[in-house]
Amino acid sequence: MLKQTPLNAAHRRMGAKMVDFGGWDMPLNYGSQLDEHHQVRRDVGMFDVSHMRVVDVQGDDVRGFLRGLVANNVDKLTTPGRGLYSCMLNPEGGVIDDLIIYFMAEDWFRIVVNAGTADKDIAWMREQAAERALTITSRGDLSMIAVQGPHARSKVWAAIPRSETATATMKPFNAVEFQQYFIARTGYTGEDGFEVILPAAEAEPLWQKLFTLGVKPAGLGARDTLRLEAGMNLYGQDMDERTSPLVSGLAWTVDLRSERDFVGKTALQRRDIDRQLVGLLLLDKGVLRAHQIVHTRYGEGEVTSGTFSPTLQQSIALARIPLGIAPGEEVTVQVRDKTLTARVVNYPFVRNGKSCLTI
Amino acid sequence: MNIPAELKYTASHEWVKVNTDGTLTVGITDHAQDLLGDMVFVENPAVGRELKAGEECAVVESVKAASDIYAPVAGIVLTANADVEGSPEVLNQDAYSAWMFTLKPVNPADVNGLMDADAYRALVEAEAH
């Protein structure tokens, strides 16, 4: 039996094609995935991301606990509502999950984790917290709606009365509690917008309100093409427990400078880094897909995520390839019986509706 | 579900039209395009290629996934539709006018082994359960 979010009936009413996504019955699209993609880039769209899990960590010295738990440094979080993207590593330096940590108060940090890894994450957190006086609460009572696109914020302001005052000057990667809502200026699309965490019973009323304001729903299909254009990693595809953040394009999220120790730090310092995550732009016709083999002058690599970019009208990918191959170089990718040419590029590919390609 | 009565079908979701001159026109069914979603890439077989029945001979790719197209019967490729390669989205708009390629069958009687519309409908409904 698949798990359902509180918006399941709404998705079906809106004609969604539903798929099994890591044990959740989720909307893939509501018609055309490409239309939904462009809608978000050009105007606004909304996603049900209630399958993601909110975890509240409360008690004495939560900050001290998190300093040791995650690879990024929670000491960067100094003002309430501030969010931090980080990886949580195993002792071998592999990625257990990527997550966002919000600083609510010194005795309360809120963590948002991936759906498929949530139970494993919480078990790991509890194990790590064993000696501490901490409460780790899985907030299955909360839902999450992501409203994304250049017009996303104004639609949320229209849907939630008086929320504009509370969030108008809020910068990206910050959040605020407003009435029963937790409104974060975050997303997974490369566009402006909010992710709204709210009680499950409030999810459908907000969804319907946004819909009547002209916000169209978008499914997981568009979510994937949007995040890949935005150059954002997908857990389980671009990194997992066997890969370190240092070979996954996530070195910027790992703090090795501070004195503090964290799980996986020693392993990261010991590991030789021989690979890198790069962007690929396919120059030939075709579509890059995960697991295709990449040939470079320093040896083989592998596509970790690939798709057709609706914005660029060309296939793009993230690929893990040997170090030393630089942006601008051409590599080949084996696609079925054909050898196609791709260019190594810096990513993101697209941000705020525009191509970021410079070469 | 759009399954025209006058066409023949394969279990791998190709449709086949028997033309008056005995040649065959091949495409993918409306059900197939619906399963795959927005099409972004089509690769047709080379004209003149000799195909065995059931041989992988073309590829359609949606944003979501790649799918092989199989020769419904043995034959020689006569023409390939460049329009669907240039604009793969026509497969989503009307799967039965967006043909992919035409074949001269080795044995014209082979089409009798393909499914009719009723049999194909039953197959699709069975797959849905």
Side-chain angles (χ1 to χ4, degrees):
Chain A
M1 186 66 190
L2 295 177
K3 287 176 273 191
Q4 298 187 350
T5 76
L7 292 168
N8 193 276
H11 299 318
R12 290 174 179 281
R13 266 203 313 279
M14 289 173 166
K17 176 173 288 182
M18 305 297 286
V19 291
D20 176 353
F21 182 77
W24 289 83
D25 188 40
M26 298 299 287
L28 180 66
N29 61 61
Y30 303 79
S32 166
Q33 169 176 345
L34 290 176
D35 290 349
E36 291 164 19
H37 179 106
H38 293 310
Q39 189 82 28
V40 170
R41 284 269 177 263
R42 295 167 187 166
D43 184 9
V44 57
M46 59 181 173
F47 302 83
D48 177 13
V49 284
S50 303
H51 56 312
M52 296 185 73
R53 193 87 60 88
V54 176
V55 182
D56 283 332
V57 185
Q58 287 160 301
D60 294 337
D61 197 21
V62 182
R63 190 184 288 275
F65 168 63
L66 295 176
R67 273 192 200 113
L69 184 76
V70 300
N72 209 336
N73 193 346
V74 291
D75 287 335
K76 294 173 186 171
L77 300 175
T78 52
T79 51
R82 182 85 185 131
L84 181 75
Y85 174 76
S86 182
C87 289
M88 181 166 72
L89 306 179
N90 58 31
E92 294 74 44
V95 183
I96 296 174
D97 200 6
D98 64 334
L99 39 80
I100 297 179
I101 301 174
Y102 294 98
F103 169 46
M104 311 295 287
E106 281 306 326
D107 61 354
W108 176 24
F109 284 65
R110 167 164 282 183
I111 308 180
V112 179
V113 304
N114 282 303
T117 47
D119 293 336
K120 165 187 93 167
D121 292 350
I122 292 165
W124 175 255
M125 289 176 196
R126 289 195 171 129
E127 191 184 317
Q128 296 303 304
E131 305 291 306
R132 294 170 179 267
L134 291 174
T135 313
I136 297 173
T137 313
S138 172
R139 299 295 305 271
D141 55 316
L142 298 178
S143 291
M144 176 147 52
I145 296 172
V147 189
Q148 302 278 297
H151 301 134
R153 293 198 303 152
S154 57
K155 292 295 183 185
V156 170
W157 292 334
I160 304 176
R162 291 179 298 283
S163 62
E164 181 171 1
T165 324
T167 61
T169 59
M170 191 167 78
K171 299 220 161 25
F173 256 77
N174 279 273
V176 66
E177 281 190 286
F178 177 75
Q179 298 167 355
Q180 68 270 49
Y181 307 100
F182 176 91
I183 305 175
R185 195 170 176 192
T186 51
Y188 198 44
T189 61
E191 298 298 323
D192 198 358
F194 288 134
E195 291 179 303
V196 182
I197 296 171
L198 70 179
E202 302 289 336
E204 185 150 357
L206 179 63
W207 185 264
Q208 292 301 342
K209 187 77 192 290
L210 287 163
F211 186 70
T212 55
L213 290 165
V215 181
K216 292 192 178 141
L220 293 178
R223 188 169 161 82
D224 191 54
T225 50
L226 287 160
R227 73 92 192 166
L228 190 45
E229 283 187 350
M232 294 172 171
N233 288 43
L234 173 61
Y235 186 79
Q237 231 171 277
D238 303 308
M239 73 291 197
D240 59 24
E241 293 196 4
R242 293 160 303 165
T243 50
S244 101
L246 304 182
V247 297
S248 307
L250 296 174
W252 62 278
T253 72
V254 179
D255 163 46
L256 290 171
R257 281 195 206 136
S258 66
E259 289 293 304
R260 99 203 142 90
D261 193 20
F262 61 84
V263 178
K265 184 178 184 182
T266 314
L268 288 188
Q269 288 170 324
R270 233 183 258 142
R271 277 195 193 192
D272 280 336
I273 298 167
D274 55 351
R275 291 172 301 160
Q276 57 177 338
L277 200 73
V278 297
L280 294 183
L281 180 69
L282 186 63
L283 302 179
D284 291 321
K285 293 196 83 175
V287 186
L288 299 172
R289 307 277 184 192
H291 308 305
Q292 289 167 350
I293 300 298
V294 182
H295 296 279
T296 79
R297 60 194 172 91
Y298 290 143
E300 278 188 5
E302 188 182 346
V303 172
T304 55
S305 287
T307 193
F308 176 81
S309 160
T311 304
L312 303 175
Q313 291 290 306
Q314 228 171 325
S315 182
I316 58 171
L318 295 177
R320 189 172 284 113
I321 65 169
L323 270 189
I325 307 294
E329 285 191 48
E330 287 182 6
V331 297
T332 61
V333 184
Q334 198 61 36
V335 179
R336 292 180 292 273
D337 58 339
K338 293 203 161 53
T339 303
L340 306 182
T341 303
R343 181 177 291 142
V344 176
V345 296
N346 288 316
Y347 60 91
F349 303 93
V350 178
R351 272 290 159 95
N352 298 115
K354 293 190 183 64
S355 169
C356 303
L357 296 175
T358 52
I359 45 174
Chain B
M1 201 182 314
N2 186 4
I3 302 177
E6 67 275 18
L7 302 178
K8 295 284 196 177
Y9 298 90
T10 67
S12 46
H13 307 288
E14 290 88 10
W15 59 260
V16 179
K17 182 183 174 203
V18 183
N19 302 306
T20 48
D21 62 358
T23 63
L24 308 177
T25 303
V26 182
I28 65 164
T29 66
D30 188 49
H31 175 67
Q33 71 77 25
D34 184 57
L35 281 179
L36 285 163
D38 296 290
M39 296 294 183
V40 292
F41 178 72
V42 173
E43 185 180 292
N44 267 322
V47 171
R49 183 170 156 192
E50 292 179 32
L51 302 176
K52 294 196 266 297
E55 184 179 345
E56 287 173 15
C57 64
V59 176
V60 294
E61 295 205 37
S62 67
V63 188
K64 194 171 71 178
S67 181
D68 289 315
I69 305 301
Y70 303 92
V73 296
I76 295 169
V77 178
L78 294 174
T79 54
N81 187 355
D83 290 347
V84 295
E85 294 188 45
S87 307
E89 66 275 11
V90 297
L91 287 168
N92 298 115
Q93 289 152 7
D94 184 354
Y96 298 109
S97 60
W99 60 280
M100 292 184 62
F101 55 91
T102 61
L103 272 184
K104 180 177 167 42
V106 172
N107 178 7
D110 285 351
V111 293
N112 298 328
L114 300 176
M115 280 182 270
D116 64 12
D118 287 341
Y120 181 64
R121 183 180 300 277
L123 173 94
V124 170
E125 282 167 5
E127 279 186 2
H129 298 295

